[in-house]
Amino acid sequence: MHPNALLSLATQLLQAVSQLDAPADATVGSFFAKHRMLGARDRRVLADTVFAVLRQRSVLGALTAGAGPDRQRRLMILAWSGDRAELDRALTDVERQWLDQARATDVASLPPAVCRNLPPWLDEALRSSLPDSSDAELDALAQALLAPAPLDLRVNTMKAKRDDIRLELREAGLAVELTPYSPWGLRVQGKPSLEKLAPYLRGDIEVQDEGSQLLALLMEARRGETIVDFCAGAGGKTLAIGAAMRGTGRLYAIDTSGHRLDALKPRLVRSGLNSVYTMQIAHERDERLDRLDAKADGVFVDAPCSGLGTLRRNPDLKWRQSAQKIAAMHATQLAILGRAARLVKPGGRLLYATCSLLRAEGEAIGAAFEAQAGGFARVPIGDALGRLGLGAHGLSTADGGFRLWPHRHGTDGFFAALWQRG
């Protein structure tokens, strides 16, 4: 496609994504469905450029201030991820002159929050959530959030060994390394297509961030137990927990979304698990949950949250979320955790987690639960990490919780807390 036509389409795509009325990846997918003439290379350039704008929106917005109706086009020009020579052919003389001036701007002279490409409310919330509230720590986190996340895989240890799969993927031409923390994980360079690879077709691998793998490990699910994944979604952690149980016992995948649970079914077939039972509920007060009360050895609650721990993958979230939306989720998260706790049998364990960087969705929910729920004692997660051989990696917090930070651990951002029922 001619560079000028491609830049014009890119501007249309950015205008659609900038409405922020739907997840950016969904908007991009819909746009490509309407423009089927785009080749794979052009789609990659458009998607990468749009996501680069979302990551750097504050800085790029400052550089394009005063551009008027041409602003969206100039944002795409600044963030262009394709061939620079091709881009130059699409520019007017005025745009070339402006681009040279924009590139010569000293970005460091912009306000700190702008340089960090964070909305002011999130800049403040992250500083108060970090264990070190210094500028250097916040700058490091903000910088890490600007980089695309790596592609992590979880090896299905029911079917295969990690070293064998690493060798097989390398022989297929992929650059693969072991993940630093998860004993199940592999990290792949680039964005290879996995769906046609033999290990994927056999059910030997699943795409899953290393942080999510660690949460499944913290459940410490054992053979023959009854485990409940209370907010299972499409079941990535369900599959990991089921493999840890070696396909034994009973594992319930519960969610309010039938669509997501349906998406789990083909993955279950591929995984070889036959001990997973899906249950769609209307809400956490659904009476169908009553039959599981006090029956579970372990309950895992990956609660609905802002998703801000996934900003490397979903940079639009920092512009779509707000402090008000975060506060509004507090009651829902606490209600879900409280209802899930009733499923735990005496002596059983309850694991609460969110893919959020904010204390409001992690430590604050844990403290509120402890204040209102009797019969549950906090279990220091450092103890579980020690049993898993991960005690020396700085993954636990001073108050016995669990935190993963993109700039410190190279994973998505997560919080977790663990309790045992008396």
Side-chain angles (χ1 to χ4, degrees), residues 69-362:
D70 294 331
R71 191 173 195 183
Q72 301 281 22
R73 178 179 170 94
R74 292 194 174 186
L75 285 169
M76 294 300 278
I77 291 171
L78 276 176
W80 193 254
S81 69
D83 184 88
R84 289 290 181 89
E86 289 184 359
L87 173 65
D88 186 68
R89 300 209 311 270
L91 302 183
T92 66
D93 290 341
V94 171
E95 286 174 334
R96 291 190 189 92
Q97 183 178 9
W98 163 80
L99 183 58
D100 288 341
Q101 293 173 346
R103 287 174 175 168
T105 301
D106 181 12
V107 174
S109 65
L110 297 173
V114 173
C115 292
R116 289 192 281 266
N117 285 285
L118 297 169
W121 74 268
L122 184 55
D123 189 76
E124 180 181 345
L126 288 176
R127 185 185 295 276
S128 63
S129 296
L130 282 162
D132 174 358
S133 61
S134 67
D135 285 344
E137 183 79 359
L138 184 54
D139 288 346
L141 173 59
Q143 189 63 37
L145 294 176
L146 295 179
L151 175 61
D152 289 349
L153 308 176
R154 179 185 58 81
V155 175
N156 181 356
T157 53
M158 273 183 52
K159 287 188 162 189
K161 295 181 178 180
R162 183 166 68 154
D163 286 340
D164 293 342
I165 296 299
R166 177 174 61 163
L167 179 60
E168 185 175 358
L169 292 177
R170 283 182 170 177
E171 290 175 347
L174 275 64
V176 185
E177 300 295 339
L178 303 180
T179 49
Y181 309 117
S182 171
W184 303 331
L186 295 171
R187 183 157 292 165
V188 182
Q189 299 300 314
K191 299 178 181 179
S193 177
L194 300 172
E195 289 76 7
K196 296 182 180 180
L197 292 177
Y200 181 86
L201 295 172
R202 295 195 306 262
D204 292 351
I205 56 173
E206 282 280 343
V207 176
Q208 187 174 45
D209 179 73
E210 184 182 20
S212 293
Q213 297 178 38
L214 292 175
L215 292 180
L217 275 163
L218 288 175
M219 191 72 257
E220 293 192 280
R222 305 175 182 90
R223 293 173 183 259
E225 288 189 323
T226 295
I227 302 293
V228 176
D229 187 352
F230 197 77
C231 303
K237 299 181 187 70
T238 305
L239 295 171
I241 292 170
M245 296 168 68
R246 310 301 295 179
T248 65
R250 297 178 73 87
L251 176 55
Y252 292 91
I254 298 175
D255 203 85
T256 57
S257 171
H259 176 73
R260 289 184 176 183
L261 291 175
D262 286 342
L264 171 59
K265 293 175 182 177
R267 301 171 74 190
L268 282 172
V269 172
R270 219 172 44 245
S271 73
L273 291 172
N274 54 20
S275 59
V276 177
Y277 303 86
T278 60
M279 180 190 299
Q280 183 182 357
I281 59 174
H283 42 67
E284 75 275 3
R285 302 177 305 281
D286 197 311
E287 293 179 354
R288 282 171 286 188
L289 292 169
D290 293 349
R291 64 187 179 89
L292 291 176
D293 281 349
K295 298 291 197 308
D297 296 282
V299 176
F300 176 49
V301 183
D302 185 7
C305 70
S306 65
L308 290 169
T310 68
L311 283 177
R312 298 179 306 167
R313 306 173 195 280
N314 306 296
D316 55 308
L317 283 175
K318 59 186 173 183
W319 312 113
R320 293 174 55 223
Q321 291 289 0
S322 67
Q324 293 75 21
K325 290 181 180 179
I326 303 297
M329 280 191 277
H330 181 98
T332 299
Q333 291 162 341
L334 189 57
I336 289 172
L337 179 56
R339 182 61 187 93
R342 288 167 50 188
L343 307 186
V344 182
K345 72 181 186 182
R349 55 204 182 277
L350 173 66
L351 180 66
Y352 171 79
T354 56
C355 55
S356 175
L357 300 165
L358 305 183
R359 293 184 63 85
E361 300 187 275

